[in-house]
Amino acid sequence: LEKAAAARAKPVNAIMPRVLSELRIDRRRIEAEVARVWNDLLDPNIVRHAQPVGLKKGTLFVNVDSSVWLSEIVRYRRKEILDRLQHSFGREFIARISFRLG
């Protein structure tokens, strides 16, 4: 019985990459880093009204708490926000931002 259990046992370093992948730890760590940089890098007025909620295939999704702020950000601040984030993370990582009411 001990020999059978030993034959099935695998070293932790052989299974951890798969476990972490299934838990999406890297993705969650990156999203947390984007949120941290967002809070430190942008105007506090924007931070109070808009927060990143996800990142998928180069698009950062941001929820904005009111239509007034959504309009303000999309019309006047989108380019500035995108430029700052691209400077911090690179153009291939954050290619565009999608703002939505939420």
Side-chain angles (χ1 to χ4, degrees):
L1 189 58
E2 286 181 22
K3 287 182 181 181
R8 289 191 314 250
K10 294 181 182 178
V12 171
N13 65 349
I15 60 170
M16 279 309 286
R18 188 172 131 237
V19 169
L20 292 175
S21 175
E22 289 176 7
L23 292 174
R24 298 182 187 150
I25 296 295
D26 287 339
R27 180 183 176 100
R28 289 181 180 159
R29 184 184 53 78
I30 291 168
E31 288 176 356
E33 180 67 12
V34 168
R36 187 190 63 75
V37 169
W38 176 276
N39 292 330
D40 293 343
L41 192 65
L42 299 179
D43 179 343
N45 289 320
I46 293 173
V47 170
R48 269 193 294 274
H49 298 283
Q51 283 294 310
V53 293
L55 181 65
K56 186 174 183 178
K57 296 181 182 177
T59 300
L60 179 64
F61 295 93
V62 178
N63 282 353
V64 183
D65 67 0
S66 74
S67 58
V68 173
W69 273 101
L70 179 63
S71 179
E72 166 76 17
I73 291 169
V74 169
R75 286 184 183 179
Y76 306 111
R77 303 287 189 93
R78 177 192 295 263
K79 175 92 171 93
E80 170 195 351
I81 293 169
L82 182 59
D83 287 346
R84 287 182 179 205
L85 291 172
Q86 286 178 336
H87 184 265
S88 293
F89 292 102
R91 291 183 180 274
E92 62 283 343
F93 188 71
I94 299 178
R96 61 205 147 273
I97 302 178
S98 175
F99 295 96
R100 56 189 173 196
L101 200 56

